[in-house]
């Protein structure tokens, strides 16, 4: 059989499954997400705040995985959330204080990766003795945190609840180091802060003579009025056992610092950020135990599907054992090749069957003519008709002898020739009645 004929048979048999495989591959390419970006933007907060400090740790960890994290300082949680929920905000991920997004679930284009840690509210004031409620601060000068910060939003809510947000109380929208310096110098009487207890600013305030940390005896009432708040206890002596700082248990309230991302952020980056968050926030603090965070505790913004799977079963298998870029590459290759493989593998198993059928069909189609001749021999025929039948058998044999057949299928050709000989012998026996017929078919 000529190589050209073989190639034509292989082409005709193999073209349909290859076409189906290519179609499956093309459909996968159209539907598959693009590769995750190598750069993302994170809104943090003020440069000396906890959000920014944690963001620096995130940046270093993501850098190891080949993802560059750009930090965008801001006034705080309110501004962070605005940038994140704005389609043109240019922010992919942000720390946002609980209570900022609202009970309605926030913007539809924002999802949560969970709570990262408890963010306690520190209320420091001047005076002869510690206070246990906000009422005595009426008419005082109070710093509630910077404009557009989560601290200011929560502080103003608490002052309004106690009816002391309006004059004669003087409310200053300043926070951080500026507010701490004013309080320590005596220019203001109280200040609100939201920060990690390990923050240098909090450490200094706890050890400053003349400053007291307000002990909220009605903390439970605040948590019932605001679902995003949690009652926290600062244990006696936790800052300094030798000097007994604080000198007694302090009841506080706080919320969670949540990590929010845009819904359209690549799913692979959801997992990478969660792994990073686990590395950063799993350590114990004054208010949480080992590996208590990150946790799916955000009551306002729904968790992303990737976050739900992460908290249920951990990182995807590939990301557990491969670097981020390698895991993503392998994952994309699997997604790309699997649909084509699903089509091609069954088709490849059928190829030998289809090829065998095509080669044999060139011989088998002659059996119809042979059967027709055999049926004609069942009827009484004249000598001329029998000679015509013999001539037709010779023509069939001549045609079959010119059929291109691969060596692997030559036996089919020889078997068909034997069958021609059987019919020929029968026709010859009819043409010469005196001659014995060797055998009947």
């Amino acid at each position: 059989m000529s190589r050209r004929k073989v190639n034509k048979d292989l082409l005709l048999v193999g073209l349909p499954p290859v076409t189906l495989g290519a179609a499956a591959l093309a459909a996968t390419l159209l539907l598959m997400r693009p590769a995750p970006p190598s750069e993302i933007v994170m809104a943090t907060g003020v440069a000396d705040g906890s959000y920014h400090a944690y963001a620096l740790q995130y940046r270093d960890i993501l850098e190891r995985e080949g993802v560059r994290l750009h930090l965008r300082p801001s006034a705080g949680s309110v501004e962070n959330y605005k940038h994140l929920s704005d389609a043109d905000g240019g922010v992919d991920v942000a720390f946002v204080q609980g209570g900022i997004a609202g009970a309605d679930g926030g913007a539809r284009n924002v999802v949560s990766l969970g709570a990262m840690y408890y963010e306690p509210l520190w209320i420091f004031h001047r005076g002869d003795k510690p206070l246990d409620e906000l009422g005595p601060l009426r008419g005082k000068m109070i710093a509630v945190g910077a404009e557009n910060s989560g601290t200011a939003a929560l502080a103003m809510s608490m002052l309004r609840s106690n009816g002391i947000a309006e004059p004669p109380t003087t409310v200053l929208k300043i926070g951080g180091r500026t507010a701490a310096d004013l309080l320590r110098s005596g220019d203001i009487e109280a200040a609100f802060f939201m920060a990690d207890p390990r923050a240098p600013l909090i450490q200094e305030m706890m050890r400053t003579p003349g400053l007291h940390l307000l002990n909220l005896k009605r903390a439970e009432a605040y948590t019932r009025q605001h679902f995003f708040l949690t009652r926290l206890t600062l244990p006696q002596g936790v800052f300094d056992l030798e000097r007994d700082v604080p000198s007694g248990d302090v009841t506080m309230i706080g919320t969670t610092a949540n990590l929010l991302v845009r819904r359209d952020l690549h799913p692979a980056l959801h997992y990478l950020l969660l792994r990073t968050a686990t590395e950063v926030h799993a350590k114990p603090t004054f208010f949480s135990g080992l590996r208590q965070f990150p946790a799916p505790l955000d009551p306002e913004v729904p968790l992303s599907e990737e976050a739900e799977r992460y908290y249920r079963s951990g990182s995807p298998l590939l990301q557990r054992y491969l670097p981020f870029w390698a895991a993503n590459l392998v994952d994309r290759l699997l997604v790309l090749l699997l649909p084509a493989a699903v089509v091609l593998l069954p088709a490849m198993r059928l190829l030998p069957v289809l090829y065998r059928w095509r080669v044999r069909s060139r011989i088998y189609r002659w059996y119809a003519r042979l059967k027709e001749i055999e049926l004609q021999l069942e009827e009484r025929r004249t000598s001329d008709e029998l000679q015509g039948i013999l001539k037709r058998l010779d023509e069939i044999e001549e045609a079959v002898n010119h059929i291109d057949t691969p060596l692997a299928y030559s036996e089919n050709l020889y078997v068909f020739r034997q069958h021609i000989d059987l019919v020929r012998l029968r026709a010859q026996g009819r043409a010469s009645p005196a001659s014995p017929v060797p055998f009947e078919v």
Side-chain angles (χ1 to χ4, degrees), residues 178 221 306 405:
T178 302
E306 291 75 22
T405 305

Side-chain angles (χ1 to χ4, degrees), residues 256-276:
T256 53
N258 306 315
L259 191 62
L260 306 186
V261 299
R262 290 185 58 84
R263 187 181 294 274
D264 58 4
L265 184 67
H266 197 285
L269 290 172
H270 287 215
Y271 288 116
L272 180 59
L273 286 167
L274 282 164
R275 287 168 49 204
T276 303

Side-chain angles (χ1 to χ4, degrees), residues 134 142 144 154-165 171 192:
L134 293 174
I142 307 170
V144 296
L154 178 56
M156 290 304 298
S157 175
M158 294 179 67
L159 292 177
R160 292 190 191 99
S161 297
N162 285 273
I164 58 174
V171 175
F192 289 72

Side-chain angles (χ1 to χ4, degrees), residues 139-259:
K140 306 294 184 180
M141 189 173 289
I142 307 170
V144 296
E147 188 74 41
N148 289 326
S149 68
T151 306
L154 178 56
M156 290 304 298
S157 175
M158 294 179 67
L159 292 177
R160 292 190 191 99
S161 297
N162 285 273
I164 58 174
E166 304 297 333
T169 304
T170 302
V171 175
L172 304 176
K173 292 292 183 72
I174 56 176
R177 176 61 62 180
T178 302
D181 290 342
L182 289 173
L183 182 61
R184 295 169 69 181
S185 66
D187 293 326
I188 60 176
E189 282 73 35
F192 289 72
F193 304 91
M194 296 200 77
D196 188 283
R198 293 169 294 187
L201 183 66
I202 300 300
Q203 296 281 339
E204 294 173 12
M205 301 284 282
M206 289 296 297
R207 291 175 171 82
T208 300
L211 294 185
H212 304 285
L213 180 61
L214 194 144
N215 187 3
L216 278 175
K217 68 177 182 181
R218 296 187 295 177
E220 194 65 32
Y222 290 103
T223 64
R224 300 301 175 87
Q225 289 188 353
H226 305 285
F227 67 95
F228 55 87
L229 293 177
T230 301
R231 184 178 183 274
L232 301 172
T233 299
L234 185 68
Q236 179 179 349
V238 71
F239 278 92
D240 192 328
L241 286 170
E242 181 181 357
R243 294 178 175 81
D244 197 26
V245 181
S247 58
D249 289 353
V250 180
T251 302
M252 307 170 65
I253 59 171
T255 183
T256 53
N258 306 315
L259 191 62

Side-chain angles (χ1 to χ4, degrees), residues 367 370 414-424:
Y367 274 100
L370 192 62
Y414 289 106
V415 169
F416 185 65
R417 287 173 177 171
Q418 291 178 354
H419 293 166
I420 292 176
D421 288 339
L422 288 174
V423 177
R424 181 184 286 114

Side-chain angles (χ1 to χ4, degrees), residues 15 55 137 171 224 260 272 336 348 368 381 389:
L15 186 59
L137 295 180
V171 175
R224 300 301 175 87
L260 306 186
L272 180 59
L336 187 64
M348 294 300 290
R381 297 291 177 180
I389 288 174

Side-chain angles (χ1 to χ4, degrees), residues 298-319:
D298 191 340
E300 301 171 282
V301 181
L303 289 176
S304 73
E305 294 180 2
E306 291 75 22
E308 290 180 354
R309 284 193 288 268
Y310 180 85
Y311 289 117
R312 185 171 58 249
S313 55
S315 299
L317 183 62
L318 292 175
Q319 289 196 24

